[in-house]
Amino acid sequence: MSIAEAGEFGLIGRIVSRLGSGSATLLGPGDDAAVVRAADGRVVASTDVLVEGRHFRRDWCGPEDIGHRAAAANLADIAAMGATPTALLVALCVPTGLDVTWAEGLADGLSAEAGLVGATVVGGDTSASPTLTIAVTALGDLGGVEPVRRDGARPGDVVALCGRIGYAAAGLTVLSRGFRTPKLLVDAYRRPNVRYPAGPEAARLGATSMIDVSDGLLQDLGHIAEASVVGIDVRRDSFEPPAQMLDAAKALGVDPYVWLLAGGDDHPLAATFPPGVTLPEHWRVIGSVLDGAGVTVDRKPWTGGTGWDHFR
């Protein structure tokens, strides 16, 4: 059945029936607006949009994969503020000839990814469009702590990373060259593996700044450097590319450090911490904050590209 045959309200009914409920949801889909508990008295909000052909391809990813990716892009932003995600709002613009089961799969992916942090899809909107477009807004709860912003890094802080990096970028290159293996890399592109609890954890540990690495490590650290009016140096030897990445890089003629330092879509969290803070093992120190400006690698300018630009 196509979406045109299902109709707007038939489509909405099919999607809503696949969504769960969370503890923060007081009123979910079905009314003019949802009602979400904000126990802290403050709401953290972020939005992101995915456009077919620009951010994803249906021949590379299934609908559930795209649902996971769309949710993760927003949930990671909430975590990067030191908050816990509570709810998602989704606007879906679709070609009317698309099979309705594709939209159901998308809803399953969105709901499953949100469920990893106890959040739920609480509402949204649908419309016909020649270009498949998914816009997601995420809400979160700070739990009584102050948000971790980008402008708090100070010289002497250490820079640490939580989560895998370079995997999704390598997977994208593999897919763009017409291959489907290594599976580790391709799967990383299709579904991010985000350590959401690390955001609130970093806040408790005293992080001075934090960011979701969505567009490339050096580029996103550059946002912290600019906001904090500092320099940041990244140590190349703090990264250990896995064997599958090294093999793929050799086969495709790519420097694996381009994936590690400039690749996006893995959504690890990068944060700065005061010197002397004892970090859990899953936070890996990758550099330091310095007097100055900009981001360097081993104290030298990096010439291998810094990351994704949505308008290039």
Side-chain angles (χ1 to χ4, degrees):
M1 179 187 295
S2 71
I3 285 176
E5 291 169 327
E8 178 183 1
F9 298 108
L11 173 62
I12 292 172
R14 285 172 174 264
I15 290 175
V16 169
S17 69
R18 309 179 85 84
L19 306 178
S21 61
S23 60
T25 304
L26 300 177
L27 180 63
D31 222 302
D32 288 305
V35 180
V36 179
R37 181 180 288 109
D40 180 85
R42 298 168 294 175
V43 176
V44 182
S46 179
T47 192
D48 200 73
V49 63
L50 279 74
V51 179
E52 184 176 17
R54 184 65 175 166
H55 301 102
F56 66 88
R57 283 175 44 171
R58 277 184 281 154
D59 58 330
W60 288 353
C61 301
E64 290 190 34
D65 297 327
I66 296 168
H68 279 273
R69 296 185 75 225
N74 290 270
L75 297 171
D77 281 335
I78 300 299
M81 298 301 294
T84 299
T86 56
L88 295 179
L89 296 161
V90 182
L92 178 61
C93 302
V94 293
T96 57
L98 189 67
D99 195 286
V100 72
T101 58
W102 194 95
E104 292 176 335
L106 176 73
D108 289 341
L110 286 162
S111 183
E113 190 70 24
L116 296 176
V117 289
T120 53
V121 179
V122 297
D125 195 17
T126 58
S127 178
S129 169
T131 302
L132 179 55
T133 304
I134 307 155
V136 181
T137 296
L139 307 178
D141 181 20
L142 285 163
V145 303
E146 290 302 307
V148 184
R149 297 166 41 159
R150 298 179 180 183
D151 61 358
R154 297 293 179 263
D157 286 353
V158 298
V159 181
L161 188 73
C162 184
R164 64 187 183 187
I165 194 164
Y167 288 63
L172 173 60
T173 303
V174 168
L175 288 166
S176 67
R177 300 286 182 90
F179 301 104
R180 295 294 185 270
T181 57
K183 189 174 185 296
L184 172 71
L185 305 180
V186 172
D187 285 352
Y189 172 76
R190 288 173 172 157
R191 296 194 187 187
N193 182 9
V194 186
R195 296 196 177 192
Y196 301 111
E201 176 187 60
R204 294 191 299 270
L205 290 168
T208 54
S209 68
M210 186 157 48
I211 194 167
D212 158 38
V213 181
S214 57
D215 296 328
L217 178 64
L218 299 184
Q219 179 164 286
D220 287 328
L221 287 178
H223 298 319
I224 288 180
E226 181 177 8
S228 299
V229 195
V230 295
I232 292 178
D233 184 65
V234 174
R235 297 198 316 267
R236 182 183 170 109
D237 65 4
S238 63
F239 300 92
E240 297 181 5
Q244 296 95 323
M245 187 181 294
L246 292 173
D247 291 343
K250 183 177 181 180
L252 299 172
V254 176
D255 179 355
Y257 285 90
V258 172
W259 292 331
L260 292 164
L261 299 177
D265 287 333
D266 281 306
H267 301 288
L269 300 181
T272 59
F273 296 90
V277 171
T278 300
L279 297 176
E281 289 185 2
H282 51 263
W283 281 96
R284 175 170 32 122
V285 175
I286 61 168
S288 55
V289 181
L290 313 169
D291 287 311
V295 180
T296 55
V297 178
D298 294 333
R299 302 296 181 98
K300 298 177 182 179
W302 171 257
T303 59
T306 57
W308 170 261
D309 185 324
H310 292 269
F311 294 96
R312 283 194 299 197

